[in-house]
Amino acid sequence: MRRTPLLSACVLAALALATAGAALAGNGGIAPVEPRSPNADGIRDSYWLILAVVLAIFALVEGLLVTFVIRFRRGRRQRFEDGAQLHGKSSLEVLWTAVPVLILFAIVAFVFVKLPGIRNVPSADAAAGRLDVAVTAHRYYWQFEYPNGAVSVDTLRAPVGQPVKLTLTAPDDDVIHSWWIPALGGKIDAIPGQTTSTWFTADRPGVYKGRCAELCGLLHAEMLAWVEAVPKPEFDAWLEREAAAQQAGTSKLGEQTYAGACAKCHGLAGQGDIGPRLDGSAIASDPAGIEKVVREGRNAMPTVGAAWSDSQMDALTGYVKERFGSGG
Ligand code: CUA
């Protein structure tokens, strides 16, 4: 008779654990994204350790709570009659103070052991070499600049198996953004006027999606980023080709810049959204006019292209004129 509530509490707890297990097993749930870079491994390991400790403590505390509620319930005792009186037990108190301290110490030690592998950028003289990319975060796009001067917007191409060092910043008149590709390591802020750095080494080809992780304004949610990891020979060939094409004005940089820096406010088809319509507008056929607005901003529009090179500016104005210009 007395065992019945305890039994149902146990059944309930088992059900809750089974549900949590199912969530863990499926794609997504509370499991972190599959790590594809060594620093993401360290973050994942720390996450699981802390989650395991937290779940164990949760089960212990809730289990005791339910047990005590049942064990010390009023039962047939009179409404105003005192229950059994319990007094302190020093050994128990020492135990519940010392054990949490030890648990915290274990977590701190574990994280400190993992931290260098997460934070420290591998040095350039390792056998594989290193690719250094400058990342500038803008409202609301990412601009990447490769060592040979080639640039890309929102999508960073990277070689598989080679460490990639990212040096991040944001323009002085911009706001703080946060770079975060979960499969390739932790978050790092991009701060106006300061530089920060992080790194990754993609262990296989693929497209890894991320997003700006710092609320940066109206279109924060549109500020997505992709890392496209390709085999190193393919990457090297692409980088050389792309730099030459950007110099010659034959690349897709104009379209890419439009999609990243302009379309989020003005619409992919130039139809206008929170920014005015571009398709068929007078300014669309006026490269000098576009350049002025893009470099200096206007009303609510940030200075999205203040730092663009001439080749990127020409690519963008050329693309806009061809696609949306009225007389063209
Ligand atoms: Cu940039 Cu949120």
Side-chain angles (χ1 to χ4, degrees):
M1 216 37 174
R2 280 198 60 175
R3 294 271 162 231
T4 317
L6 195 59
L7 196 69
S8 33
C10 287
V11 170
L12 221 65
L15 269 175
L17 277 177
T19 315
L24 283 176
N27 179 26
I30 60 168
V33 173
E34 179 95 0
R36 293 271 68 106
S37 173
N39 48 351
D41 280 333
I43 292 171
R44 195 254 328 251
D45 294 347
S46 310
Y47 172 88
W48 284 127
L49 173 76
I50 292 170
L51 185 70
V53 170
V54 163
L55 282 180
I57 292 173
F58 177 79
L60 178 72
V61 170
E62 293 304 308
L64 285 175
L65 181 68
V66 170
T67 309
F68 289 169
V69 163
I70 294 163
R71 173 108 170 65
F72 298 107
R73 72 193 188 284
R74 181 160 63 93
R76 291 200 194 82
R77 200 169 65 238
Q78 284 303 307
R79 183 76 179 83
F80 296 106
E81 192 185 324
D82 284 346
Q85 298 298 298
L86 299 172
H87 299 281
K89 187 159 197 249
S90 301
S91 56
L92 257 183
E93 286 180 25
V94 168
L95 205 66
W96 75 50
T97 308
V99 170
V101 169
L102 290 177
I103 291 173
L104 283 181
F105 187 79
I107 291 175
V108 168
F110 184 85
V111 170
F112 269 87
V113 166
K114 290 284 179 186
L115 206 50
I118 295 172
R119 279 190 54 164
N120 297 354
V121 181
S123 57
D125 54 22
R130 192 178 75 192
L131 175 73
D132 290 6
V133 178
V135 183
T136 314
H138 298 258
R139 283 169 293 163
Y140 298 94
Y141 69 98
W142 302 96
Q143 170 128 345
F144 307 103
E145 185 172 350
Y146 300 86
N148 68 356
V151 299
S152 68
V153 173
D154 284 353
T155 298
L156 170 66
R157 275 208 159 193
V160 168
Q162 186 179 29
V164 178
K165 180 187 179 183
L166 304 175
T167 304
L168 297 102
T169 191
D172 285 341
D173 62 349
D174 213 282
V175 299
I176 299 177
H177 304 268
S178 180
W179 170 256
W180 190 34
I181 308 281
L184 300 178
K187 293 174 195 165
I188 187 90
D189 279 359
I191 305 166
Q194 290 186 35
T195 57
T196 51
S197 58
T198 186
W199 68 282
F200 64 85
T201 304
D203 68 5
R204 67 182 66 176
V207 178
Y208 306 106
K209 190 177 172 186
R211 56 176 59 256
C212 175
E214 181 78 51
L215 181 60
C216 53
L218 207 51
L219 290 177
H220 157 71
E222 299 286 319
M223 199 169 163
L224 305 174
W226 292 267
V227 170
E228 188 184 344
V230 297
K232 183 158 164 54
E234 192 183 317
F235 172 80
D236 289 341
W238 168 81
L239 187 58
E240 207 169 305
R241 243 187 5 250
E242 183 65 16
Q246 289 183 8
Q247 280 304 318
T250 55
S251 71
K252 293 263 187 197
L253 184 59
E255 184 179 351
Q256 207 184 104
T257 302
Y258 181 79
C262 312
K264 289 161 190 164
C265 292
H266 297 278
L268 251 186
Q271 74 275 26
D273 190 347
I274 69 161
R277 181 186 181 88
L278 295 177
D279 194 18
S281 69
I283 199 173
S285 345
D286 172 17
I290 302 173
E291 173 162 359
K292 189 171 159 57
V293 174
V294 155
R295 288 222 192 264
E296 296 169 12
R298 179 185 285 177
N299 302 328
M301 175 168 157
T303 57
V304 285
W308 289 346
S309 66
D310 288 343
S311 61
Q312 187 172 11
M313 186 61 77
D314 292 347
L316 186 267
T317 55
Y319 175 79
V320 169
K321 183 176 178 180
E322 191 189 311
R323 181 137 184 242
F324 305 125
S326 41

